[in-house]
Amino acid sequence: MVKELAMRKGTTAHPGEKKQCRMRFESQRFDDFVELMKPIKESAVQEVKKHAQVLIHKVQKCSEWTVNDLSELIQDFYRSMKERFEIHPIFEDTSQEDIEELMNFTEKYLLTRLYKVLFTHFSSKYEENDLAIQKWIQRLGWVTAQHLDFYIDETLPEVRDLIDRAITNIIEMDSRRASLDKIDCIVHCSYHILNFIQLCQDRPASADEFLPALVFIVLKANPPRLKSNIEYITKLSAPGRLMSGEGSYYFTNLCCAVAFIEGLTAESLNLSEDEFDRYVSGAALPPGSCVQNAYLCEGLRIMYQNLADLSDLQQRQEKLQAETISLREDIKEFKEIIAKEVNSTKTMYLSQPYKIPPIVKWAQLASVSHEHTLQGETNSMYPADIYLTKATLVDQNTGQQPVDNMNSSTG
Amino acid sequence: MAGSRSHSFKVVLLGEGCVGKTSLVLRYVENKFNDKHFSTLQASFLNKKLNIAGKRVSLAIWDTAGQERFHALGPIYYRDSNGAILVYDVTDEDSFQKVKTWVKELRKMLGNDVCLCIAGNKIDLEKDRAVSLEEADSYATSVGAKHFLTSAKLNRGIEELFVDLAKRMIEIAESSDEHRVNSLGRGSNPRRNVVIVDDEPQQQKTGCCGG
């Protein structure tokens, strides 16, 4: 009883441990086995959280650590967690994919919780680099796709749309916390770039087109705190993340693009020193830059967007109109068809002969009345029908033969 | 563990702009050449899974920008790669010279752990050949690389090239690290093989479980 009370007290005090206790004390029950088999993760997740908590407290307490200390500490933590995932009994039967998921979770949990502390360190260490590259990119606003030797058709609304999205994604990177999420932004940005390259040429994009285009996007976007973010991803990503997979490829390309921009010279843009200096200092603008930037400038872009919206509206309006007309015709046609149907049904039913249902019990009706009726209807009846009717009448009326009628119809 | 027989390798693709490295890799991964119906939008990063002698191998093929202006960025690209395919155009002597520069750089940066394949592409244009087979062969042998003649158009030599590369990468991976890292099916990375155990969380853990 005391034990139970203590347990209950414990669970309310530490909701994080609740699951742990339940797993430990009640896992004999059948329900729990089912639960255990399904999410082996739940216990694992708690396990990760618990360990991360220790590290989080440790990091939050110390403010004198350098970026490298922090990076080492966190990388050590990843390593020890990974080892734990591989050898600890809790994680037994965990597949390789699940271990990867757990690593992702570890990283995400840790970095999201510690983001403010960690990123402050990074952004203060790399503040100058951030500002330097930001200013440098500002001065390179005139660089066009032609300078970078790749072809882009900015007049296509889809291409402009994709450029916008790529720019948005790369800027968004700064607002994400875990390096995994930051890399996701880079990957999405890259997809948009590859998409617009494919729109401008009709074969799959290769690195020869991708890297210049990424440089172009970075120049146009001028993402905030670029260097800090890159260092943050490099130093705090879970081991292996930057070594394999798509994310690492695109991240590496971003690093390349940034390195290229930092070391940008007249030669790398195929310009003379003199030209380059004049463009960078803002004394002159290269030919074509106006046109290209015009397509990317806010006012014109809105105008183009509006034009596109208007033409879209017009198309929809026309479609609506056409559909209205066709609907009207359909209604008219339907009306006619119905009228025709009604008419034909009417004539059909009105002209159809009256037939005596075969199940009628003749014996119950006065024979005179039949004969009157039959006489009235004979004109529209086939002789054979009449004959049959008569035959039936003969049977039913016990041998009484209506000879007159027979003669009148056949004759 | 199921993953013990699987490897994943990073392979960089180097070559000048017009040597056809994109066609080469697209032919390998999609078995198509100049097709309007590639299922992929891009040929910059491709994955290919193979099975070599019962070992599952996953190749991540990294295309690199071949333009001269991006040459200095090479090291960022080929860091941690297990293999490299250097493509030149058999009709273009310059592209072969470029291969030589890359080989030097790769050997300098990655040492002998990186497997090199030199691919003389476009052998369908045999009549315009500018680089002799003997020269390329002897050069390749001298730098510890393998030389292949390929044609993305005719689908020649490409499968062989990748299979050979994969085999050599497996050998290196298996001989250089018999550590646990390899048994996880991850790419080998000697730099991070050092295992530092963080004592504190370990202690914490045992305390919790035992209690």
Side-chain angles (χ1 to χ4, degrees):
Chain A
M1 187 69 180
V2 177
K3 204 174 173 183
E4 208 181 288
L5 270 175
M7 216 182 90
R8 206 172 286 163
K9 203 177 162 193
T11 53
T12 48
H14 303 287
E17 266 176 30
K18 193 174 158 191
K19 210 85 189 184
Q20 286 282 325
C21 295
R22 232 189 60 200
M23 289 301 214
R24 227 178 306 140
F25 290 105
E26 295 171 35
S27 56
Q28 305 299 316
R29 276 172 36 200
F30 179 73
D31 288 4
D32 286 84
F33 276 112
V34 178
E35 205 184 317
L36 258 176
M37 286 181 24
K38 192 174 58 167
I40 226 176
K41 288 211 158 146
E42 191 50 43
S43 63
V45 162
Q46 292 305 326
E47 178 76 11
V48 170
K49 278 190 180 172
K50 197 174 63 187
H51 288 281
Q53 209 62 43
V54 178
L55 189 76
I56 288 168
H57 283 311
K58 200 166 157 187
V59 172
Q60 276 168 343
K61 259 190 280 169
C62 267
S63 57
E64 288 120 53
W65 277 341
T66 65
V67 164
N68 287 336
D69 292 341
L70 286 169
S71 155
E72 223 162 272
L73 189 77
I74 287 172
Q75 291 298 339
D76 283 351
F77 177 73
Y78 289 147
R79 264 191 292 267
S80 65
M81 281 315 281
K82 194 165 171 233
E83 237 174 49
R84 178 165 288 276
F85 294 150
E86 276 149 20
I87 53 173
H88 198 276
I90 287 191
F91 305 103
E92 216 176 9
D93 304 329
T94 314
S95 68
Q96 196 61 40
E97 287 80 47
D98 286 345
I99 286 185
E100 234 148 80
E101 275 298 303
L102 277 170
M103 274 321 282
N104 290 348
F105 173 76
T106 311
E107 183 198 288
K108 203 163 172 165
Y109 183 75
L110 193 68
L111 297 187
T112 308
R113 293 287 307 275
L114 278 175
Y115 184 68
K116 277 195 180 142
V117 186
L118 293 174
F119 205 82
T120 314
H121 277 92
F122 279 83
S123 65
S124 57
K125 185 177 175 191
Y126 298 102
E127 194 181 12
E128 279 175 21
N129 310 52
D130 283 340
L131 290 175
I133 194 167
Q134 201 158 359
K135 277 187 193 149
W136 180 230
I137 290 177
Q138 263 170 20
R139 292 168 70 193
L140 293 171
W142 48 270
V143 174
T144 61
Q146 284 81 18
H147 288 126
L148 296 163
D149 260 347
F150 78 98
Y151 171 71
I152 182 172
D153 187 0
E154 301 101 331
T155 54
L156 287 176
E158 297 95 335
V159 172
R160 279 199 307 274
D161 189 41
L162 287 167
I163 292 177
D164 281 351
R165 285 191 212 178
I167 290 174
T168 314
N169 283 139
I170 195 85
I171 290 175
E172 214 180 307
M173 178 182 69
D174 183 55
S175 63
R176 296 300 169 92
R177 293 179 162 211
S179 63
L180 188 67
D181 297 336
K182 286 181 189 284
I183 291 176
D184 262 356
C185 289
I186 302 171
V187 171
H188 283 130
C189 167
S190 305
Y191 283 164
H192 293 315
I193 292 174
L194 292 165
N195 273 328
F196 77 65
I197 294 173
Q198 232 231 341
L199 274 178
C200 297
Q201 63 178 33
D202 50 0
R203 60 198 168 87
S206 72
D208 288 348
E209 294 102 34
F210 175 67
L211 185 60
L214 182 62
V215 170
F216 180 75
I217 291 298
V218 173
L219 286 176
K220 293 296 161 219
N222 201 353
R225 301 194 284 189
L226 191 52
K227 291 294 272 184
S228 302
N229 276 297
I230 288 179
E231 291 296 332
Y232 181 88
I233 295 172
T234 313
K235 295 206 158 84
L236 301 181
S237 286
R241 163 126 38 259
L242 301 181
M243 235 102 52
S244 60
E246 209 177 21
S248 72
Y249 179 73
Y250 295 121
F251 176 67
T252 305
N253 269 287
L254 180 67
C255 294
C256 284
V258 170
F260 177 74
I261 291 169
E262 282 179 311
L264 199 79
T265 59
E267 202 191 335
S268 40
L269 296 179
N270 292 331
L271 294 170
S272 72
E273 287 290 340
D274 187 40
E275 274 177 304
F276 185 75
D277 288 343
R278 276 194 301 148
Y279 296 154
V280 168
S281 63
L285 273 178
S289 172
C290 273
V291 183
Q292 180 151 62
N293 285 336
Y295 279 118
L296 297 173
C297 106
E298 193 62 30
L300 266 179
R301 217 181 315 170
I302 292 173
M303 193 189 81
Y304 277 111
Q305 188 57 51
N306 288 344
L307 278 178
D309 287 350
L310 276 176
S311 74
D312 182 45
L313 263 181
Q314 194 178 350
Q315 271 177 10
R316 281 159 63 179
Q317 182 70 32
E318 276 164 12
K319 198 177 160 212
L320 183 70
Q321 217 157 7
E323 276 173 3
T324 314
I325 291 171
S326 90
L327 180 66
R328 196 179 287 161
E329 270 164 18
D330 281 356
I331 291 175
K332 218 170 121 190
E333 208 178 314
F334 181 68
K335 232 182 205 169
E336 279 166 15
I337 290 173
I338 289 290
K340 229 185 257 171
E341 286 271 320
V342 168
N343 274 338
S344 70
T345 319
K346 239 194 231 162
T347 50
M348 198 168 84
Y349 276 97
L350 287 182
S351 62
Q352 219 172 48
Y354 171 78
K355 278 187 186 171
I356 299 155
I359 47 165
V360 173
K361 292 260 179 210
W362 295 102
Q364 293 169 359
L365 297 167
S367 60
V368 186
S369 66
H370 304 304
E371 273 161 39
H372 276 297
T373 321
L374 285 168
Q375 266 172 351
E377 294 290 331
T378 39
N379 295 336
S380 59
M381 265 181 152
Y382 291 108
D385 284 356
I386 306 254
Y387 182 78
L388 276 173
T389 319
K390 303 296 168 187
T392 325
L393 282 174
V394 173
D395 288 347
Q396 297 286 337
N397 294 331
T398 54
Q400 189 193 359
Q401 272 208 6
V403 185
D404 307 344
N405 283 326
M406 189 76 144
N407 292 338
S408 74
S409 67
T410 46
Chain B
M1 197 185 274
S4 63
R5 293 288 95 197
S6 77
H7 296 273
S8 63
F9 296 121
K10 171 179 163 183
V11 177
V12 281
L13 198 61
L14 300 161
E16 262 194 329
C18 304
V19 298
K21 59 190 158 88
T22 312
S23 305
L24 191 106
V25 75
L26 280 173
R27 168 62 89 182
Y28 179 59
V29 177
E30 296 224 348
N31 197 16
K32 285 177 186 163
F33 180 76
N34 271 356
D35 199 304
K36 291 258 182 253
H37 309 287
F38 285 115
S39 64
T40 173
L41 280 177
Q42 46 91 20
S44 51
F45 175 85
L46 292 168
N47 264 314
K48 175 85 177 178
K49 292 196 179 347
L50 346 165
N51 204 318
I52 288 178
K55 290 167 190 148
R56 276 180 295 140
V57 179
S58 159
L59 298 180
I61 305 166
W62 289 38
D63 191 13
T64 62
Q67 294 97 320
E68 185 53 42
R69 65 177 75 186
F70 298 121
H71 187 94
L73 308 172
I76 309 179
Y77 270 124
Y78 47 68
R79 185 172 52 199
D80 299 318
S81 47
N82 307 89
I85 297 170
L86 302 117
V87 190
Y88 72 93
D89 177 348
V90 289
T91 67
D92 179 2
E93 170 67 26
D94 285 349
S95 67
F96 185 63
Q97 294 309 320
K98 196 77 189 279
V99 164
K100 291 184 178 174
T101 358
W102 269 310
V103 168
K104 264 182 224 142
E105 270 182 33
L106 281 163
R107 284 284 180 230
K108 202 170 87 190
M109 303 289 298
L110 302 170
N112 285 325
D113 278 349
V114 63
C115 299
L116 303 182
C117 266
I118 299 175
N121 196 27
K122 304 196 189 176
I123 50 157
D124 44 294
L125 303 172
E126 178 68 39
K127 57 176 172 31
D128 300 321
R129 184 199 279 271
V131 184
S132 79
L133 178 61
E134 297 75 37
E135 186 195 350
D137 267 343
S138 66
Y139 172 73
T141 324
S142 73
V143 292
K146 274 233 175 150
H147 183 234
F148 287 87
L149 287 176
T150 60
S151 165
K153 193 175 174 183
L154 307 175
N155 196 8
R156 293 264 171 78
I158 297 172
E159 190 76 35
E160 293 89 323
L161 179 143
F162 279 94
V163 168
D164 175 78
L165 184 67
K167 278 183 187 158
R168 283 192 288 143
M169 288 192 295
I170 293 173
E171 265 172 42
I172 288 195
E174 286 180 351
S175 67
S176 76
D177 45 29
E178 277 130 9
H179 304 292
R180 292 177 51 253
V181 173
N182 199 19
S183 71
L184 294 168
R186 297 293 178 82
S188 60
N189 175 32
R191 206 157 42 82
R192 296 208 175 168
N193 275 357
V194 196
V195 178
I196 301 160
V197 180
D198 195 10
D199 275 329
E200 201 170 338
Q202 297 273 38
Q203 292 296 326
Q204 191 78 14
K205 168 78 208 117
T206 20
C208 263
C209 254

